[in-house]
Amino acid sequence: MAAKSSGLGALACYESSSEEEGPSPSRISQHSRSHEIQRSKHQEDDRNAATLTLHNCKRKHDDTEPSIPVGKSAKSTHSGNFEKRTLLPSVPTDILQMFSDREVIEGGKDKPEEHGGRIRSFPHVAGNWATHVYVSFGPDPEFTAGVKHLLSCVEEQLQLQQVEDYHISLSRTVPLTFHWIQPFIDSLRETLRDTERFFCTFQGAKLYTNDERTRSFLGLEVTGGHDQLLHLVQGVDSCLEEFRLQKYYKNPSFHMTVGWCVGDVHEDTQQVNQKLQDSLAEAQEEFPSLGGFLVQEIKCKSGNRIFSFPLR
């Protein structure tokens, strides 16, 4: 019995040790199923994470891109959006300042009472600037005193006002568009750059009227320097023609205006003509500066801007 019991114990021990050496087939199957379930769960988590990431990316894309309207292709919508986003070039400062002054904007109406009764030679157009080319002259006190004396000699016949700006015209007053001012000035500068200084002398006085016959002028007639002035006019005319502006008179009577009045006094010219000549001869003896001057500079006034062209 003892031997038999000993054999059963050994068998039990053997079975026990056999079980420890490796799992039974049923336990292997159960472990495999558990591993498969866990792996499936990890795969599902990965798929969910990928789906969430894709969804977030799509939301960001939708926020930055506008939705496509029904009935319009993506291509046409994108083109329309591009056109809306296109920025126009900024307006140049010079253009913005052209009509910044209220007086310039509303300057179309004549106000003769503010200009000694004078009226415009041509209608005002916004953006056009009255432009005039002339020989500049800065008188000395003797010259202005001589002019005052001359005007007083004919004040019984003509009530003339003494001018403040003495010059000899080389062009009519013409309207020049704002954006052409600088190109016109550049053209003038090129034309006049080789012109040399010369003397102008006065002999005789004459009454003139403007083209509209709204103003009359007393001028000192130029004798010496006439050819040089004519040459200057030809150069200025070429610049005016370049910009399709009216040229100067064909046979100009060069003169320096010293007095003016409103209206046409041409009918009275014959009555005062002889007295003017006698008065000028007398004034030139007393005031030698009335005899003439040295031409040193040409100027162009456009609106309220003055451009200078010194002679050589």
Side-chain angles (χ1 to χ4, degrees), residues 96-163:
L96 292 175
Q97 294 177 347
M98 280 175 60
F99 313 118
S100 59
D101 190 346
R102 184 180 180 86
E103 184 178 351
V104 173
I105 297 175
E106 299 180 351
K109 185 177 179 181
D110 258 333
K111 299 179 180 179
E113 66 279 4
E114 296 182 4
H115 306 283
R118 291 173 291 178
I119 62 175
R120 298 180 186 275
S121 297
F122 45 82
H124 172 80
V125 177
N128 283 355
W129 296 74
T131 303
H132 178 222
V133 184
Y134 56 94
V135 171
S136 175
F137 172 58
D140 57 20
E142 183 181 85
F143 185 91
T144 55
V147 170
K148 186 176 181 180
H149 174 78
L150 177 63
L151 297 182
S152 66
C153 292
V154 293
E155 63 184 356
E156 292 183 3
Q157 292 80 17
L158 300 171
Q159 285 69 51
L160 300 172
Q161 299 184 45
Q162 189 167 348
V163 301

Side-chain angles (χ1 to χ4, degrees), residues 97-260:
Q97 294 177 347
M98 280 175 60
F99 313 118
S100 59
D101 190 346
R102 184 180 180 86
E103 184 178 351
V104 173
I105 297 175
E106 299 180 351
K109 185 177 179 181
D110 258 333
K111 299 179 180 179
E113 66 279 4
E114 296 182 4
H115 306 283
R118 291 173 291 178
I119 62 175
R120 298 180 186 275
S121 297
F122 45 82
H124 172 80
V125 177
N128 283 355
W129 296 74
T131 303
H132 178 222
V133 184
Y134 56 94
V135 171
S136 175
F137 172 58
D140 57 20
E142 183 181 85
F143 185 91
T144 55
V147 170
K148 186 176 181 180
H149 174 78
L150 177 63
L151 297 182
S152 66
C153 292
V154 293
E155 63 184 356
E156 292 183 3
Q157 292 80 17
L158 300 171
Q159 285 69 51
L160 300 172
Q161 299 184 45
Q162 189 167 348
V163 301
E164 298 178 356
D165 177 29
Y166 296 91
H167 63 269
I168 299 175
S169 293
L170 299 176
S171 78
R172 304 171 190 257
T173 298
V174 295
L176 182 62
T177 306
F178 178 82
H179 63 271
W180 288 123
I181 293 177
Q182 192 56 54
F184 179 72
I185 295 303
D186 293 341
S187 180
L188 273 179
R189 198 175 303 280
E190 179 66 22
T191 300
L192 301 173
R193 67 176 182 174
D194 294 327
T195 305
E196 297 181 350
R197 300 178 182 184
F198 60 95
F199 278 95
C200 274
T201 57
F202 304 118
Q203 186 175 358
K206 186 176 180 180
L207 286 170
Y208 299 85
T209 58
N210 62 355
D211 291 339
E212 296 77 23
R213 298 190 177 278
T214 58
R215 280 178 289 167
S216 298
F217 309 92
L218 172 61
L220 304 181
E221 292 185 278
V222 174
T223 52
H226 185 277
D227 291 342
Q228 290 90 332
L229 290 174
L230 192 59
H231 180 72
L232 286 173
V233 166
Q234 292 171 353
V236 174
D237 276 350
S238 66
C239 297
L240 292 168
E241 190 173 20
E242 181 181 349
F243 292 85
R244 299 183 179 180
L245 298 173
Q246 189 176 19
K247 297 188 292 185
Y248 204 39
Y249 306 99
K250 284 187 176 182
N251 298 304
S253 174
F254 295 111
H255 63 276
M256 176 178 288
T257 298
V258 295
W260 69 277

Side-chain angles (χ1 to χ4, degrees), residues 280-295:
L280 177 60
E282 178 186 336
Q284 285 178 332
E285 290 182 5
E286 187 175 352
F287 306 95
S289 293
L290 286 177
F293 71 104
L294 176 65
V295 178

Side-chain angles (χ1 to χ4, degrees), residues 90-98:
S90 59
V91 180
T93 304
D94 287 345
I95 302 299
L96 292 175
Q97 294 177 347
M98 280 175 60

Side-chain angles (χ1 to χ4, degrees), residues 22-160:
S24 63
S26 62
R27 292 183 65 181
I28 292 174
S29 175
Q30 188 175 16
H31 177 73
S32 297
R33 284 197 301 274
S34 175
H35 180 71
E36 288 293 335
I37 292 172
Q38 190 174 7
R39 186 171 65 181
S40 298
K41 185 177 181 181
H42 284 317
Q43 290 176 348
E44 177 124 7
D45 290 342
D46 292 341
R47 284 195 298 271
N48 289 338
T51 302
L52 181 61
T53 300
L54 181 62
H55 179 67
N56 289 337
C57 291
K58 186 174 183 303
R59 286 182 62 186
K60 290 181 180 180
H61 179 74
D62 291 342
D63 289 342
T64 56
E65 290 293 329
S67 58
I68 300 175
V70 177
K72 292 186 177 182
S73 66
K75 182 177 180 181
S76 64
T77 303
H78 179 74
S79 175
N81 291 334
F82 178 80
E83 291 176 359
K84 291 179 181 178
R85 294 176 191 168
T86 302
L87 297 177
L88 295 174
S90 59
V91 180
T93 304
D94 287 345
I95 302 299
L96 292 175
Q97 294 177 347
M98 280 175 60
F99 313 118
S100 59
D101 190 346
R102 184 180 180 86
E103 184 178 351
V104 173
I105 297 175
E106 299 180 351
K109 185 177 179 181
D110 258 333
K111 299 179 180 179
E113 66 279 4
E114 296 182 4
H115 306 283
R118 291 173 291 178
I119 62 175
R120 298 180 186 275
S121 297
F122 45 82
H124 172 80
V125 177
N128 283 355
W129 296 74
T131 303
H132 178 222
V133 184
Y134 56 94
V135 171
S136 175
F137 172 58
D140 57 20
E142 183 181 85
F143 185 91
T144 55
V147 170
K148 186 176 181 180
H149 174 78
L150 177 63
L151 297 182
S152 66
C153 292
V154 293
E155 63 184 356
E156 292 183 3
Q157 292 80 17
L158 300 171
Q159 285 69 51
L160 300 172

